[in-house]
Amino acid sequence: MLYVPGDKPRALEKVRSLPVDGIIIDLEDAVAPEAKENARQCIAEALSADYGARELILRVSAVDCAPDFVLAERLPIHGVLIPKVDSPAMVRAASARTRHPIWCMIETPLGVLRAGDIAAASDRLAGFVAGTNDLTKELRARHVPDRTPLLTSLSLMLLAARAHGLAALDGVHLGLDDLAGFEASCRQGVELGFDGKTLVHPSTIDIANRVFGPSAEEVAKAREIVAAWDQARAEGKGVARIGGAMVEQLHVNEALRVIAMAEAIEAPPRNGQGDRAR
């Protein structure tokens, strides 16, 4: 999911041709206070165009920024991202301001510690986005390649998200010229359990798609698991065997998830317009 500044019309147009799953149209950090009204006009004009199958999320300036929410209610978007969420009350306040699904930036120590309560605050909640830059600053930690200072916080976010059926997106990687480091960060995100990566530059899209998307080998294995399970069930068996390994329902559920992801990636563009988002 790629961040795009709301006051950059050319960037808002260009992203329509990029192979991303979603776009976070940013009215918070990426837009100076004096430029926000112009950004709102740019966003309204840009979103009159077709963005294909891409998910459109508006990151508002703050949970109490009324003009941003007024704009959100006029837009054909799929969600509103609230920055610096650190309490269930903030989720409820956002719910009162918008009809859209709500995403929460978890980027403060209090937000991490209250992640479970935040996740349970509303049935309109769609997911968490890790705000790793702000969190690193708040922790007085250091930006190190293996992100050791953040692992506890990232795991707590994921536990809360999974316990309440929410999506979870990993934070951004600042080193735009460090593509090897970016790929390592993506692989760590996959290993931790994140659903995807938030990006700040188009040059990183292909790596994120490759790392977070299932490989051909993983898809083939998933199909093999489902086929073996179907055969076992047809024979009245409760388990199946593949290469000496036992296959149970939990393995089948994960295989079906992988297959569904692969099919979504390969699906044609919505309305036949634009490149297919992942």
Coordinates of all heavy atoms in Angstrom, one line a residue, residues 39 43 47 50 54 73 88 90 104 106 146 175 207 219 236 254 261 273:
A39 N -4.8 20.6 -0.8 CA -4.7 19.2 -0.9 C -6.1 18.6 -1.0 O -6.3 17.6 -1.8 CB -3.9 18.6 0.2
I43 N -7.4 16.2 -4.0 CA -7.8 14.8 -3.8 C -9.2 14.7 -4.4 O -9.5 13.7 -5.1 CB -7.8 14.5 -2.3 CG1 -6.4 14.5 -1.8 CG2 -8.6 13.2 -2.0 CD1 -6.3 14.4 -0.3
L47 N -9.8 11.9 -7.4 CA -10.6 10.7 -7.2 C -11.9 10.7 -8.0 O -12.7 9.8 -7.9 CB -11.0 10.5 -5.7 CG -9.9 9.6 -5.0 CD1 -8.5 10.2 -5.1 CD2 -10.4 9.4 -3.6
D50 N -10.9 6.9 -12.4 CA -11.0 5.4 -12.0 C -9.7 4.9 -11.6 O -8.7 5.0 -12.3 CB -11.5 4.6 -13.2 CG -11.7 3.2 -12.9 OD1 -11.7 2.8 -11.7 OD2 -11.8 2.4 -13.9
R54 N -7.7 -0.9 -7.1 CA -6.9 -0.5 -6.0 C -7.8 0.0 -4.8 O -8.8 0.7 -5.0 CB -6.0 0.6 -6.4 CG -4.9 0.1 -7.4 CD -4.3 1.3 -8.2 NE -3.5 0.7 -9.3 CZ -4.0 0.4 -10.4 NH1 -5.3 0.5 -10.7 NH2 -3.2 -0.1 -11.4
E73 N -16.4 11.9 3.4 CA -17.7 11.5 3.1 C -18.2 11.8 1.7 O -19.1 11.3 1.2 CB -18.7 12.2 4.1 CG -18.4 11.8 5.5 CD -18.3 10.3 5.7 OE1 -19.4 9.6 5.7 OE2 -17.2 9.8 5.9
P88 N -9.4 3.4 22.6 CA -10.7 3.0 21.9 C -11.6 4.2 21.7 O -12.3 4.3 20.7 CB -11.3 2.1 22.9 CG -10.2 1.5 23.7 CD -9.2 2.6 23.9
M90 N -10.8 7.1 20.6 CA -10.4 7.7 19.3 C -11.1 6.9 18.1 O -11.6 7.5 17.2 CB -8.9 7.7 19.1 CG -8.2 8.7 20.0 SD -6.4 8.7 19.7 CE -6.4 9.5 18.1
C104 N -6.4 2.1 11.7 CA -5.7 2.8 12.8 C -4.2 2.7 12.6 O -3.7 1.6 12.5 CB -6.1 2.2 14.2 SG -7.8 2.3 14.6
I106 N -1.0 2.6 14.5 CA -0.4 2.3 15.8 C 1.0 2.7 15.8 O 1.9 2.1 15.2 CB -0.6 0.8 16.1 CG1 -2.0 0.3 16.0 CG2 -0.1 0.5 17.5 CD1 -3.0 1.0 16.9
D146 N 17.8 -4.8 11.7 CA 17.0 -6.0 12.0 C 15.7 -5.5 12.8 O 14.9 -6.4 13.2 CB 17.8 -7.0 12.8 CG 18.3 -6.5 14.1 OD1 18.1 -5.3 14.5 OD2 19.1 -7.3 14.8
G175 N 15.1 3.9 3.9 CA 16.3 3.9 3.1 C 15.9 3.6 1.6 O 16.0 2.4 1.2
I207 N 9.5 -5.3 -5.3 CA 10.0 -6.1 -4.3 C 9.0 -6.5 -3.3 O 8.8 -7.7 -2.9 CB 11.2 -5.4 -3.5 CG1 12.4 -5.2 -4.5 CG2 11.6 -6.2 -2.3 CD1 13.5 -4.4 -3.9
V219 N 2.1 -21.8 -4.3 CA 0.7 -22.0 -4.9 C 0.5 -23.4 -5.3 O -0.5 -24.1 -5.0 CB 0.5 -21.0 -6.1 CG1 -0.9 -21.3 -6.7 CG2 0.5 -19.6 -5.6
G236 N -13.4 -40.9 3.2 CA -13.9 -41.0 4.6 C -12.8 -40.8 5.7 O -13.0 -41.2 6.8
E254 N -5.0 -22.7 5.5 CA -3.9 -21.9 5.0 C -3.7 -22.0 3.5 O -3.4 -21.0 2.8 CB -2.7 -22.2 5.8 CG -1.4 -21.4 5.4 CD -1.5 -19.9 5.5 OE1 -2.4 -19.5 6.2 OE2 -0.7 -19.2 4.9
M261 N -5.3 -15.7 -2.5 CA -4.4 -14.6 -2.8 C -3.9 -14.6 -4.2 O -3.9 -13.6 -4.9 CB -3.3 -14.6 -1.8 CG -2.4 -13.4 -1.9 SD -0.9 -13.4 -0.9 CE -1.6 -13.6 0.7
Q273 N -9.9 -1.5 -16.7 CA -9.1 -0.3 -16.8 C -8.0 -0.4 -15.8 O -8.1 -0.9 -14.7 CB -10.0 0.9 -16.4 CG -11.1 1.1 -17.4 CD -11.9 2.3 -17.0 OE1 -11.5 3.1 -16.2 NE2 -13.1 2.5 -17.6

